[in-house]
Amino acid sequence: MIIQSKRIWIAGQFIPAQLKVEHKKIEAIYGYGELPVQKDYGNDRIVPGFIDIHTHGAYGYDTNDGNQEKLLEWMKRIPEEGVTSILPTTVTQVPEVLLKAVSSVADVAEYEYEGAEILGIHFEGPYLDMKYKGAQPPEAIAQATISEFKKYQEAARGMIRYITLAPEHDTGFELTRYLTQNGVVVSMGHSSATYEQALMGIANGATSMTHVYNGMTPYHHRNPGLVGTAFRVRDIYGEIICDGCHSHVAALNNFFTAKGREYGIMVSDSLRAKHCPPGGSYKLGGHDIEIRENGLAYLKGTETIAGSTLNMNMGLKILVEDAMVPFDTALNSCTINPARCLRVDDRKGRVAAGYDADIVVLSDSYEVIQTYCRGKSML
């Protein structure tokens, strides 16, 4: 199959080109109009597929449910917003729930299925701080230990690739070092860590931060905290929820100004309520949440934000059009940067020969016209 457009994102710019897609890969790239094509997208933009490394669910499904049929439906439908790769994300819960959840994801990842590729599991909690737990269930927060984590990773058959933990509660940073040495990305979040504690977390192997600004010590000019660490240490990754509600658009601009083109990562942090009718009541970690008119989820009857219903293509629009983040920086945040963070940038995150044929066709209004997951048309 050969497709073409006058605007394909290659080498950090839009150029007219053709893509030859065979065997789930971009086999070759040619000049625009060089060969007969199966599909000409005209002036619509072709960009790499979006990678969401922090997403709990959508379409009424949550990763903690451990329902394989619903997980398969999620993977098949999520390309509607341009997502081609994903880390299904757990939320803090009791061990039996988490063991079932990670085992279920591992089972599905072994299937030949249609849709977004499961690159691994994001294990958010249960090794978190009580003060900055956010909507994470306090009754299930646990002490970080290597022995307990090994049980989860065994159930996941090695699929836990990314974990959120509070570094100040990892005694001697033992778990952080173990995870780093065994190929798991450590992300600091839901944490009351000071600037100094965060630096020690980084020194012992942490390479990312979870939803910067949210669930962490705020910035103060005499006590920089985790936010100050995210700004100061520019060569570690930082997730950020780009719905314009979790963080003001000016704060989004500040974050990307500090992180530059290579270390900011857009995430949805979406819940089961995404792509469901507004106004409903749902569960997160066994607790009731409600979706309000602004699209945010809250713990029922409180002002505690519990997650988002953000579509990734709209997150890109918010970054560029509202937060005034340069397009290349914004696009990197949902393509090559998460790929680098997960160490899959040898096959994901770029439109280039030899890479997986994960491609999104976008209109100028950021609507998804077509998504290809490993070369298969999904819309």
Side-chain angles (χ1 to χ4, degrees):
M1 174 180 69
I2 296 179
I3 64 174
Q4 71 176 9
S5 169
K6 295 175 183 176
R7 292 192 292 173
I8 299 183
W9 188 256
I10 295 173
Q13 59 197 299
F14 284 114
I15 65 171
Q18 295 181 332
L19 306 179
K20 182 179 181 182
V21 175
E22 296 288 348
H23 309 297
K24 303 181 181 180
K25 297 284 188 180
I26 300 172
E27 185 175 283
I29 298 179
Y30 303 103
Y32 184 85
E34 189 171 334
L35 297 173
V37 299
Q38 278 68 57
K39 183 66 178 179
D40 186 342
Y41 286 102
N43 207 44
D44 290 324
R45 299 175 290 180
I46 293 181
V47 300
F50 304 147
I51 303 172
D52 193 355
I53 68 170
H54 188 159
T55 172
H56 297 280
Y59 309 102
Y61 172 78
D62 184 277
T63 303
N64 278 24
D65 293 346
N67 183 314
Q68 294 183 28
E69 183 179 344
K70 292 292 186 180
L71 177 57
L72 285 165
E73 180 186 1
W74 180 20
M75 295 305 100
K76 186 174 182 179
R77 295 183 62 186
I78 203 64
E80 295 170 6
E81 60 189 66
V83 173
T84 57
S85 300
I86 206 164
L87 291 187
T89 305
T90 59
V91 68
T92 295
Q93 251 297 352
V94 294
E96 53 266 32
V97 172
L98 293 177
L99 288 167
K100 178 185 176 184
V102 298
S103 177
S104 175
V105 174
D107 287 341
V108 169
E110 294 176 354
Y111 297 163
E112 280 289 329
Y113 62 88
E114 292 185 353
E117 181 177 354
I118 298 172
L119 298 176
I121 297 165
H122 177 167
F123 203 60
E124 188 180 19
Y127 314 127
L128 307 179
D129 179 69
M130 197 64 74
K131 180 178 180 181
Y132 288 99
K133 68 184 186 309
Q136 305 273 336
E139 66 275 11
I141 290 175
Q143 176 62 42
T145 65
I146 295 172
S147 59
E148 185 182 66
F149 176 78
K150 282 182 175 179
K151 295 176 184 176
Y152 292 122
Q153 188 67 296
E154 182 180 1
R157 276 157 278 159
M159 285 291 291
I160 298 175
R161 303 280 168 79
Y162 188 103
I163 184 171
T164 294
L165 58 75
E168 72 276 16
H169 298 303
D170 179 13
T171 305
F173 301 98
E174 291 180 359
L175 181 57
T176 297
R177 287 194 297 274
Y178 173 82
L179 293 165
T180 301
Q181 292 162 7
N182 287 275
V184 180
V185 176
V186 176
S187 185
M188 300 182 291
H190 288 288
S191 166
S192 62
T194 64
Y195 178 75
E196 291 75 19
Q197 288 172 320
L199 290 182
M200 290 305 296
I202 294 167
N204 281 279
T207 56
S208 187
M209 287 192 192
T210 296
H211 44 50
V212 172
Y213 296 125
N214 291 276
M216 59 178 58
T217 46
Y219 181 77
H220 187 280
H221 58 285
R222 286 190 293 273
N223 298 293
L226 274 171
V227 175
T229 309
F231 288 171
R232 173 65 180 85
V233 187
R234 297 186 180 185
D235 57 353
I236 70 162
Y237 295 98
E239 306 174 4
I240 191 159
I241 305 167
C242 300
D243 58 4
C245 299
H246 275 79
S247 301
H248 191 281
V249 291
L252 294 177
N253 186 287
N254 290 343
F255 171 81
F256 281 100
T257 298
K259 299 308 284 185
R261 297 174 67 249
E262 297 181 344
Y263 287 96
I265 297 178
M266 182 204 306
V267 297
S268 70
D269 196 9
S270 67
L271 305 176
R272 69 169 78 241
K274 183 159 83 164
H275 299 297
C276 293
S281 294
Y282 303 89
K283 295 279 188 182
L284 178 69
H287 290 195
D288 291 330
I289 61 173
E290 55 191 2
I291 310 301
R292 298 184 188 165
E293 291 303 315
N294 60 3
L296 290 180
Y298 294 83
L299 283 179
K300 195 165 187 177
T302 77
E303 293 303 312
T304 299
I305 297 176
S308 88
T309 57
L310 176 68
N311 292 357
M312 291 290 278
N313 59 313
M314 289 297 102
L316 182 62
K317 181 179 182 180
I318 288 166
L319 279 186
V320 176
E321 303 293 335
D322 300 328
M324 304 303 291
V325 172
F327 183 83
D328 59 344
T329 299
L331 185 64
N332 283 359
S333 77
C334 54
T335 56
I336 192 60
N337 292 356
R340 286 197 197 102
C341 179
L342 296 176
R343 306 181 191 100
V344 294
D345 54 308
D346 59 337
R347 65 186 182 95
K348 300 285 186 186
R350 287 190 175 94
V351 177
Y355 274 65
D356 289 354
D358 293 341
I359 303 162
V360 181
V361 185
L362 288 176
S363 71
D364 282 340
S365 60
Y366 297 85
E367 297 296 328
V368 174
I369 296 167
Q370 183 58 268
T371 301
Y372 296 89
C373 289
R374 288 158 288 170
K376 183 175 177 59
S377 171
M378 294 306 301
L379 301 183

